[in-house]
């Protein structure tokens, strides 16, 4: 599911995985924040 880069930080999941990521789930980046307060705006920009 996640691949590690040279700095052992998780990379952005595939778009199919992000489509089902819950707003209140922990963010995929490992920051400990909720997804909606961390990367949601970057992963799903307004149309």
């Amino acid at each position: 599911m996640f691949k590690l880069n040279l700095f052992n930080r998780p990379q952005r999941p595939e778009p199919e995985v992000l489509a089902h990521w819950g707003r209140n789930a922990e963010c995929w980046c490992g920051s400990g924040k909720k997804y909606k307060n961390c990367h949601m705006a970057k992963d799903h920009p307004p149309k």
Side-chain angles (χ1 to χ4, degrees), residues 3-38:
K3 296 178 184 177
L4 295 177
N5 61 16
L6 296 175
F7 301 108
N8 289 332
R9 294 181 62 199
Q11 293 180 346
R12 185 178 313 275
E14 299 297 323
E16 304 86 43
V17 175
L18 284 176
H20 299 288
W21 207 276
R23 290 172 39 97
N24 291 314
E26 189 173 315
C27 190
W28 56 263
C29 71
S31 67
K33 296 180 180 179
K34 289 185 178 182
Y35 178 60
K36 66 181 179 183
N37 294 328
C38 194

